[in-house]
Amino acid sequence: SVLAVALICVFLFANGIPAMKEIGFMEFLTGERWKPTNEIFGILPMIMGSIYVTAGAIILGVPIGILTSVFMAKYCPKKIYPVLKGATELLAGIPSVVYGFFGLVVLVPLIRDICQKFHWGGNGSSILTASILLGMMILPTIIGVTESAIRSVPAHYYEGALGATHERSIFSVVLPAAKSGVVAGIVLGIGRAIGETMAVIMVAGNQARMPQGILKGLRTMTANIVTEMGYATG
């Protein structure tokens, strides 16, 4: 596995560095315009787009994911647990394009209607829509890893919090004890969000420009790779 990752890195750098030298390394990374037909290759809008969308997904998905995992590990009745566990695992198995289609036919019109109602502008294909959709997509990863981390905390940690309420024992003792697993779940969720392509293309507007607000469209790095790969020559 390590060798495979190393070979991928070698391949990418060996093929990418000559192009960056020709364009100019700083011009490539900090350029604010992407117009390949005019020999302008600035990828900063896509870098910022990926960061904005991922940050939005973290803000929306991480609190919900952690609280859901706490509920499943410490509060959920035994009759409900198999159904809830199955539902979260089912979310992980849904293909990205299906999430994207859901976002296109449900979330985009919903956000558009809200924006028109309050006169905020925007057509629904935006950073906000992509963040909501990605927040949903990272939930199974965060919930699964975090719940396992919470369940792995020894029982005497909880029992040692004598005199504290159930909630205080969980959030002040058990959850901090499981923080390495919680952080691992969050990192895996971030990896899923920043690497997502098809769903983001379908709901984010696919506009290669600097982010101009959460209700405006953009293009992420992965979306740009998919969009431009068929036309890449030389």
Side-chain angles (χ1 to χ4, degrees):
S1 299
V2 174
L3 180 62
V5 173
L7 289 173
I8 290 169
C9 291
V10 169
F11 173 80
L12 289 174
F13 279 103
N15 288 275
I17 288 174
M20 287 187 224
K21 283 183 179 177
E22 188 171 330
I23 299 163
F25 188 69
M26 293 309 296
E27 288 80 1
F28 180 66
L29 287 180
T30 62
E32 296 187 8
R33 290 197 300 160
W34 175 264
K35 292 185 177 180
T37 53
N38 295 339
E39 300 291 319
I40 299 172
F41 302 97
I43 63 168
L44 186 61
M46 278 70 76
I47 293 173
M48 295 305 297
S50 294
I51 292 172
Y52 273 57
V53 169
T54 303
I58 292 167
I59 291 168
L60 294 171
V62 169
I64 296 172
I66 292 175
L67 291 173
T68 302
S69 62
V70 169
F71 172 78
M72 290 176 66
K74 295 295 182 181
Y75 290 90
C76 188
K78 290 183 178 179
K79 290 182 179 180
I80 301 174
Y81 181 80
V83 177
L84 190 58
K85 184 67 174 176
T88 57
E89 290 175 349
L90 185 63
L91 282 174
I94 298 174
S96 298
V97 69
V98 176
Y99 275 109
F101 184 70
F102 168 78
L104 194 63
V105 300
V106 177
L107 293 180
V108 171
L110 180 63
I111 299 296
R112 184 194 304 130
D113 292 343
I114 292 172
C115 290
Q116 289 176 352
K117 182 178 180 179
F118 293 97
H119 307 289
W120 290 339
N123 61 0
S125 297
S126 62
I127 296 174
L128 178 61
T129 311
S131 296
I132 293 171
L133 189 62
L134 283 179
M136 294 168 56
M137 293 178 71
I138 67 175
L139 283 177
T141 304
I142 295 174
I143 292 170
V145 177
T146 303
E147 187 198 349
S148 298
I150 293 171
R151 289 188 182 277
S152 68
V153 175
H156 65 260
Y157 278 58
Y158 176 83
E159 293 164 0
L162 293 173
T165 62
H166 183 52
E167 289 74 21
R168 191 175 183 85
S169 300
I170 291 169
F171 288 99
S172 298
V173 179
V174 177
L175 204 56
K179 68 179 180 180
S180 60
V182 174
V183 171
I186 293 170
V187 170
L188 289 171
I190 292 171
R192 172 85 193 267
I194 204 164
E196 184 51 52
T197 306
M198 287 308 302
V200 176
I201 287 178
M202 297 172 76
V203 302
N206 198 25
Q207 298 163 356
R209 65 183 184 189
M210 292 295 289
Q212 298 175 354
I214 63 169
L215 297 177
K216 301 294 183 182
L218 49 63
R219 182 188 293 178
T220 62
M221 184 68 73
T222 51
N224 197 62
I225 292 171
V226 170
T227 304
E228 303 286 351
M229 186 61 73
Y231 308 104
T233 57

